[in-house]
Amino acid sequence: MIHSRNRRLRVNESIRGLVRENVLTTDDFVMPIFVMEGENKQEAIPSMPGIFRRSIDLTVKECKELFSLGVKAVNLYMKVSEHLKDNTGKEAWNKDGLMQNTIKAIKDAVPGMIVMPDVALDPYSIYGHDGIIENGKVVNDATNDALARMSVSHAEAGADLVAPSDMMDGRVMVIREALEESGFTDVGIVSYAAKYASSFYGPFRSALDSAPKDDMEIPKDKKTYQMDFHNSREALNEVFKDIDEGADVIMIKPGLPYLDIVSKVREAIDLPIAVYNVSGEYAMVKAAAQNGWLDNDKTIIESLTCFKRAGADMIFTYFAKEAAILLNK
């Protein structure tokens, strides 16, 4: 006779809900947003169905809708005009730049929205790299100084947290010190501590035209600063260093193929963990759903819940709006 039957706690949805270990809510989401120059402009991103580049006015409108759905945090990326790009990234800290004006507009219109601008030079670089190029290489320390100036300008515009995604060594400490010295002691840092050199970023780079250029004597990829996807122990080394340097939130990117890293880091630290459900992951689900191979809605909720189960506290995802609508039902 069987005395222990696990199925007793799966008999119906009420019982399953009562013993459920992880529950997904709209408070878990950060919506990445692409911003472009102009007014009343919106451009579809072909590789990411349902995602758009928008001018500031339409971005504000979108943020209002997101907030009404319960999505209370956005992560900002700029589509920078070609004539503003160079090898210094100086447009990144222009107080009247597209990023700075976007931050101000969102905070003015939706004060409760948490704004997390991306901190990296690739959208501003003529080379498409996350750092400054010297003698054919991405240099570390000069890039850190640029990232610090960029972060302070974001804080001045009203950012709640800055999100350095560049993977330069020591940049969290340089940014933290710059924020402290400028009086922005309450501005947090979401550190991309374990960001891997991944093939899953393709649609994102087409959205911003931020891929490394092939026709120049520079590195053709970002493997000299982003992590090798073969490694896992190295991720903990990166995480511990960023915590020591002053990170407030630890980011792991990409997401679904790296749930082992999320789980490993969760066991090792008490800080909040963010995970990035990247553009390639989004595009794969959308492509499969459009072909009738997956149920779009069920797959979205299942995949996002997997991040919670692995140990993430917040999820950067292009599904945020769609998932919020599903959860609100």
Side-chain angles (χ1 to χ4, degrees):
M1 181 180 297
I2 300 175
H3 293 281
S4 178
R5 295 180 182 269
N6 291 344
R7 290 180 60 188
R8 293 183 190 124
L9 299 182
R10 303 174 193 153
V11 169
N12 56 51
E13 178 57 26
S14 295
I15 291 178
R16 291 192 295 272
L18 195 64
V19 299
R20 189 158 288 149
E21 297 175 29
N22 296 284
V23 178
L24 192 68
T25 77
T26 58
D27 287 333
D28 297 319
F29 302 147
V30 180
M31 179 71 181
I33 289 181
F34 301 116
V35 185
M36 61 186 294
E37 296 281 4
E39 186 174 348
N40 195 32
K41 292 181 67 174
Q42 177 172 287
E43 294 178 353
I45 300 170
S47 57
M48 301 174 69
I51 303 299
F52 301 87
R53 289 182 289 263
R54 297 183 176 90
S55 53
I56 293 178
D57 54 331
L58 296 186
T59 296
V60 168
K61 182 179 179 181
E62 180 72 2
C63 286
K64 289 179 178 178
E65 185 174 357
L66 286 167
F67 200 80
S68 72
L69 291 169
V71 179
K72 300 170 185 174
V74 291
N75 176 219
L76 302 181
Y77 298 88
M78 301 297 110
K79 177 67 169 66
V80 180
S81 299
E82 288 298 319
H83 73 278
L84 296 174
K85 297 182 180 183
D86 63 11
N87 187 36
T88 70
K90 64 180 184 297
E91 179 62 20
W93 54 87
N94 178 0
K95 64 183 179 62
D96 294 316
L98 183 59
M99 175 69 87
Q100 289 74 10
N101 287 333
T102 302
I103 296 169
K104 293 172 188 174
I106 294 172
K107 294 302 289 187
D108 286 345
V110 195
M113 181 67 82
I114 301 302
V115 178
M116 307 180 190
D118 180 65
V119 176
L121 296 185
D122 50 333
Y124 303 88
S125 169
I126 55 173
Y127 298 115
H129 272 285
D130 290 38
I132 295 169
I133 300 289
E134 292 180 5
N135 299 318
K137 296 181 179 180
V138 179
V139 294
N140 195 92
D141 297 3
T143 296
N144 285 349
D145 292 338
L147 298 174
R149 296 184 69 176
M150 187 177 183
S151 298
V152 170
S153 78
H154 293 174
E156 290 171 342
D160 299 280
L161 301 100
V162 294
S165 62
D166 56 285
M167 288 297 287
M168 298 298 119
D169 291 334
R171 91 278 202 211
V172 172
M173 179 177 63
V174 176
I175 291 170
R176 183 72 267 162
E177 289 178 351
L179 291 171
E180 296 288 318
E181 291 169 1
S182 300
F184 295 109
T185 57
D186 291 335
V187 174
I189 298 176
V190 180
S191 171
Y192 286 60
K195 179 179 180 180
Y196 286 82
S198 172
S199 299
F200 287 90
Y201 303 148
F204 172 93
R205 289 176 180 167
S206 66
L208 291 184
D209 187 27
S210 61
K213 308 305 180 188
D214 285 333
D215 57 345
M216 299 180 180
E217 294 299 319
I218 58 170
K220 299 300 186 288
D221 54 45
K222 302 189 177 185
K223 293 180 180 179
T224 65
Y225 44 101
Q226 294 178 357
M227 283 182 57
D228 184 342
F229 66 81
H230 298 85
N231 298 348
S232 63
R233 294 192 304 272
E234 183 185 5
L236 290 176
N237 185 318
E238 292 280 1
V239 166
F240 291 143
K241 285 181 177 177
D242 284 6
I243 292 174
D244 288 343
E245 291 175 16
D248 300 286
V249 178
I250 292 300
M251 170 70 82
I252 296 159
K253 184 180 182 182
L256 288 175
Y258 293 80
L259 291 181
D260 61 316
I261 306 300
V262 178
S263 180
K264 186 185 291 285
V265 173
R266 176 75 290 161
E267 292 175 359
I269 71 170
D270 295 323
L271 256 61
I273 293 175
V275 64
Y276 208 126
N277 182 208
V278 301
S279 59
E281 299 167 47
Y282 175 90
M284 288 193 300
V285 171
K286 284 300 181 184
Q290 288 175 353
N291 280 283
W293 300 333
L294 290 175
D295 182 299
N296 181 77
D297 297 355
K298 291 179 180 178
T299 303
I300 289 172
I301 297 304
E302 179 182 346
S303 59
L304 295 179
T305 302
C306 288
F307 295 124
K308 292 290 296 289
R309 191 188 66 232
D313 299 288
M314 62 187 78
I315 306 164
F316 286 52
T317 179
Y318 302 98
F319 289 121
K321 183 178 181 180
E322 199 171 353
I325 292 171
L326 293 172
L327 293 175
N328 287 334
K329 289 180 181 179

